[in-house]
Amino acid sequence: MASTAEETRGEGASVLDLDPKSAVAGGVKDVYGEDLATEEQLVTPWTVSVASGYSLLRDPHHNKGLAFTEKERDAHYLRGLLPPISINQELQEKKIMHNLRQYQVPLQRYSALMDLQERNQRLFYKLLIDNVEELLPIVYTPTVGEACQKYGCIFRRPQGLYISLKEKGKILEVLKNWPQRNIQVIVVTDGERILGLGDLGCQGMGIPVGKLALYTALGGLRPSACLPITIDVGTNNEELLKDDFYIGLRQKRATGQEYSELLHEFMRAVKQNYGEKVLVQFEDFANHNAFELLSKYRSTHLVFNDDIQGTASVVLAGVVAALKLVGGTLAEHTFLFLGAGEAGTGIAELIALEMSKQTQAPIEEARKKIWLVDSKGLIVSTRKESLQHFKKPWAHEHEPVGNLLDAVKAIKPTILVGSSGVGKTFTKEVVQAVASFNERPIILALSNPTSQSECTAEEAYAWTDGRAIFASGSPFDSVEYNGKVYVPGQANNAYIFPGFGLGVVMSGAIRVHDDMLLAASEALAQQVTEENFQKGLIYPPFKSIRKISAHIAANVADKAYELGLASHLPRPANLVKYAESCMYGPIYRTYR
Ligand SMILES: O=C([O-])CC(=O)C(=O)O
Ligand SMILES: [Mg+2]
């Protein structure tokens, strides 16, 4: 079996996995400030001692399947364990894509991809990187949502680390059971609000697994530096509690002190085991816990909430890009949100922050341009007493308005944002009302997965006579309307978190500062080309995501250095080049 020590040493040429060619060509230093290894050194010398023969074929980190060469088969005791033919990675890739396309059911494609990840990691990432637009909807939203709903049923081999109430008092030991030690990014969920699908308990594991696959494919973090974690404190989902195949604790959710003690033990154990510089990404927690965890740990740990901060950063980027199409400054626009939870208030706050930086006005003034609607109607000052604390900054002076349509008519937004997790809420009346006072209404239907989208791309274009600038959290295909093709954008935090994480890790940042989110957002908006704009797009296509991520990483790292939060010194001169040189590449290595 693969030995952890050898594995770690093998990947230890730098903190990040380095592409040999760019490393040698660039002559750059690694994140520890040491000269990078030569290409020769990077031809892995350690495989012999890691795994050989039968166990090498079953080690997903090193297995190459039919791509083992004749020489490698001789050197690593593989003779006879493989059929005689040897093929290259490109042909393997072609074959797997061919096979995947035979499956009509998305969940079958998901299972096939997860099996590949468990079997041959480099091939999995090569596939994902080369076919990102086709495969993102499988390993990520919307299919990952369905996978979580059915996780117990499709469960084959465990992925990630499970920490349940049973592990209370032993979390540090549990972390030590994980085979990799040089962890740089953890994505953790407690499964209480999985996408817009609600409480899926322990089955939320699909989300950290999927997010981290994107960290590697889109942002270039090493797979072995990524750790998916699910914290199981029970579930209030009655159906799952009754489901024979459910994989989690069969009890109602622990709350209050019991919950916060477990989470606190977890945060302490993470720091103790991995040090200051491991990035902990909170994902799909319910609102109350998400806000509380972020505010509790943001000054002592390197934490990032993807749903609050990542979503905010991606939406701000889309809005800034959209203004190039519609004109006006942020402060000249009026925003109306449906949904006042993590995404809604997170986006609103980041937009207000950017607005106040632009206008030099206090943030309280900027907030007045942004209105939020929750399940009880428009959030107004007369409701202040009964509001949760994260909604209070948005309680402006206005008479009560009971529903979204009336709020649209009263506020007359130029930009409508859906972030409530509830589908089909942008009705024809709502969309047409927004379109009645905007030449080009900006409509962002952010809720995931597709079933929870506030409206479809087709509806947005049809109900506005093709005038809408539309983006959604989950992907929609292009739409033909009145003989013209409209390409919707995908306003999903997947644009941000991989590059953001890369920037944090490569600079050795020890805290996340809001200005780093603004930096990420700015870098993303700058990646929208003239050609994209001409198609009405406010996000660049995902196919260039590695380049986009490098730019985001560079801007984030630059900000971390400027703020004195970066610990990897000296600062590399060319941060974009450096980010690119740090990115993990999935090409097979040659084993001696
Ligand atoms: O996972 C996604 O597609 C975006 C996201 O964070 C969420 O909806 O919670
Ligand atoms: Mg999320």
Side-chain angles (χ1 to χ4, degrees):
M1 288 306 293
S3 107
T4 317
E6 293 299 330
E7 163 82 350
T8 310
R9 179 152 22 106
E11 289 194 343
S14 106
V15 177
L16 297 159
D17 201 14
L18 296 148
D19 177 77
K21 270 186 259 79
S22 56
V24 173
V28 287
K29 294 186 183 294
D30 74 16
V31 288
Y32 286 133
E34 288 165 4
D35 284 314
L36 290 170
T38 63
E39 184 154 15
E40 201 175 341
Q41 284 167 309
L42 283 165
V43 174
T44 53
W46 35 268
T47 346
V48 185
S49 54
V50 169
S52 68
Y54 193 78
S55 51
L56 177 55
L57 290 179
R58 273 150 191 80
D59 171 2
H61 305 291
H62 306 112
N63 179 30
K64 302 201 261 182
L66 286 178
F68 281 112
T69 62
E70 295 292 322
K71 251 173 136 175
E72 288 170 335
R73 292 177 192 208
D74 278 332
H76 299 281
Y77 307 94
L78 295 169
R79 281 271 159 218
L81 300 181
L82 289 161
I85 204 75
S86 178
I87 62 175
N88 62 24
Q89 201 177 9
E90 283 66 38
L91 190 58
Q92 286 182 307
E93 187 177 1
K94 190 171 161 190
K95 182 180 76 176
I96 306 248
M97 285 310 293
H98 170 81
N99 289 342
L100 278 179
R101 288 174 185 141
Q102 307 295 309
Y103 294 124
Q104 296 306 313
V105 180
L107 204 54
Q108 289 175 325
R109 294 185 183 190
Y110 176 86
S111 293
L113 278 169
M114 291 301 108
D115 283 350
L116 177 63
Q117 190 180 19
E118 286 292 311
R119 191 167 74 239
N120 183 337
Q121 205 171 61
R122 283 184 180 265
L123 189 54
F124 170 78
Y125 284 111
K126 179 139 176 46
L127 217 66
L128 202 47
I129 291 167
D130 292 347
N131 304 277
V132 63
E133 287 182 330
E134 185 173 346
L135 298 184
L136 213 53
I138 309 294
V139 294
Y140 196 57
T141 184
T143 308
V144 73
E146 190 188 352
C148 288
Q149 288 173 311
K150 299 175 183 163
Y151 210 73
C153 198
I154 62 172
F155 185 89
R156 287 184 230 205
R157 290 175 78 182
Q159 294 169 294
L161 206 54
Y162 292 88
I163 297 174
S164 78
L165 288 169
K166 286 193 212 167
E167 279 72 55
K168 189 167 176 354
K170 293 183 249 175
I171 297 182
L172 187 59
E173 282 168 53
V174 175
L175 293 182
K176 289 186 189 299
N177 287 344
W178 187 251
Q180 313 293 342
R181 275 178 285 167
N182 286 347
I183 299 301
Q184 294 168 326
V185 185
I186 290 172
V187 176
V188 59
T189 189
D190 72 354
E192 191 169 2
R193 198 273 303 145
I194 293 300
L195 308 176
L197 301 171
D199 184 352
L200 298 184
C202 194
Q203 302 197 160
M205 181 56 105
I207 296 293
V209 167
K211 292 270 173 186
L212 285 165
L214 269 48
Y215 256 105
T216 296
L218 279 49
L221 276 291
R222 269 186 302 124
S224 59
C226 297
L227 173 56
I229 297 184
T230 291
I231 296 193
D232 185 353
V233 296
T235 179
N236 296 339
N237 183 325
E238 294 293 342
E239 255 174 62
L240 287 180
L241 287 172
K242 282 188 281 180
D243 181 350
D244 284 344
F245 300 143
Y246 180 57
I247 57 168
L249 291 183
R250 237 164 258 278
Q251 65 165 77
K252 283 274 161 68
R253 279 188 178 273
T255 57
Q257 197 180 343
E258 195 182 5
Y259 180 87
S260 50
E261 278 177 10
L262 192 77
L263 268 289
H264 195 61
E265 184 189 339
F266 167 69
M267 293 305 291
R268 283 181 58 171
V270 162
K271 206 164 175 177
Q272 198 174 336
N273 205 40
Y274 302 117
E276 284 263 6
K277 287 185 263 176
V278 59
L279 175 63
V280 177
Q281 174 166 321
F282 294 118
E283 193 70 52
D284 292 7
F285 283 76
N287 286 328
H288 52 288
N289 290 325
F291 287 110
E292 201 167 307
L293 289 168
L294 187 61
S295 72
K296 186 165 173 187
Y297 293 107
R298 66 184 304 167
S299 58
T300 54
H301 289 65
L302 182 61
V303 292
F304 168 70
N305 184 301
D306 189 34
D307 303 296
I308 301 173
Q309 300 172 300
T311 305
S313 187
V314 79
V315 172
L316 174 61
V319 168
V320 166
L323 298 194
K324 293 216 172 126
L325 290 169
V326 300
T329 63
L330 273 183
E332 286 162 358
H333 281 267
T334 306
F335 298 78
L336 182 65
F337 285 73
L338 175 64
E342 295 159 68
T345 62
I347 302 162
E349 187 65 13
L350 201 67
I351 290 176
L353 184 63
E354 177 61 21
M355 216 187 260
S356 81
K357 280 187 190 257
Q358 288 180 6
T359 58
Q360 318 256 310
I363 191 151
E364 292 75 16
E365 277 307 303
R367 286 190 188 123
K368 291 185 180 152
K369 298 290 299 190
I370 305 174
W371 297 82
L372 273 62
V373 170
D374 66 6
S375 57
K376 298 194 181 71
L378 190 66
I379 296 180
V380 291
S381 52
T382 44
R383 256 219 275 155
K384 215 167 190 163
E385 292 320 305
S386 58
L387 281 175
Q388 286 158 292
H389 69 93
F390 50 88
K391 295 183 184 177
K392 285 188 177 158
W394 310 101
H396 307 320
E397 297 289 322
H398 200 286
E399 63 198 39
V401 179
N403 62 57
L404 178 64
L405 181 59
D406 289 343
V408 167
K409 289 177 183 165
I411 303 299
K412 297 197 170 33
T414 53
I415 303 180
L416 179 69
V417 184
S419 57
S420 70
V422 183
K424 302 186 174 52
T425 43
F426 289 176
T427 58
K428 189 172 179 181
E429 290 71 30
V430 165
V431 172
Q432 288 187 337
V434 180
S436 69
F437 36 74
N438 289 294
E439 181 53 36
R440 300 218 58 192
I442 299 171
I443 296 177
L444 307 177
L446 303 178
S447 296
N448 296 313
T450 320
S451 59
Q452 307 309 107
S453 190
E454 284 77 7
C455 65
T456 66
E458 196 171 357
E459 288 166 343
Y461 297 121
W463 293 340
T464 60
D465 262 331
R467 288 185 286 126
I469 295 171
F470 176 81
S472 52
S474 295
F476 280 104
D477 288 337
S478 303
V479 174
E480 208 184 309
Y481 176 75
N482 275 351
K484 203 176 151 196
V485 176
Y486 295 84
V487 191
Q490 192 179 349
N492 190 292
N493 48 35
Y495 273 112
I496 291 288
F497 69 79
F500 186 84
L502 178 64
V504 165
V505 168
M506 77 185 209
S507 63
I510 50 160
R511 297 286 178 270
V512 168
H513 189 284
D514 282 346
D515 284 354
M516 289 155 69
L517 300 170
L518 293 178
S521 188
E522 179 190 56
L524 177 56
Q526 281 168 358
Q527 292 300 307
V528 190
T529 62
E530 210 36 61
E531 194 193 334
N532 301 151
F533 281 128
Q534 272 166 21
K535 289 187 191 149
L537 280 171
I538 52 173
Y539 292 100
F542 263 114
K543 66 174 186 291
S544 47
I545 187 68
R546 303 255 297 183
K547 177 176 150 264
I548 297 166
S549 292
H551 281 269
I552 292 173
N555 234 28
V556 168
D558 187 40
K559 188 54 77 178
Y561 282 106
E562 187 190 315
L563 294 169
L565 292 171
S567 65
H568 290 156
L569 300 170
R571 176 194 183 283
N574 185 332
L575 285 167
V576 175
K577 250 196 173 148
Y578 184 64
E580 279 166 356
S581 77
C582 287
M583 287 171 106
Y584 164 88
I587 305 295
Y588 288 143
R589 293 174 172 209
T590 304
Y591 304 149
R592 287 213 192 96

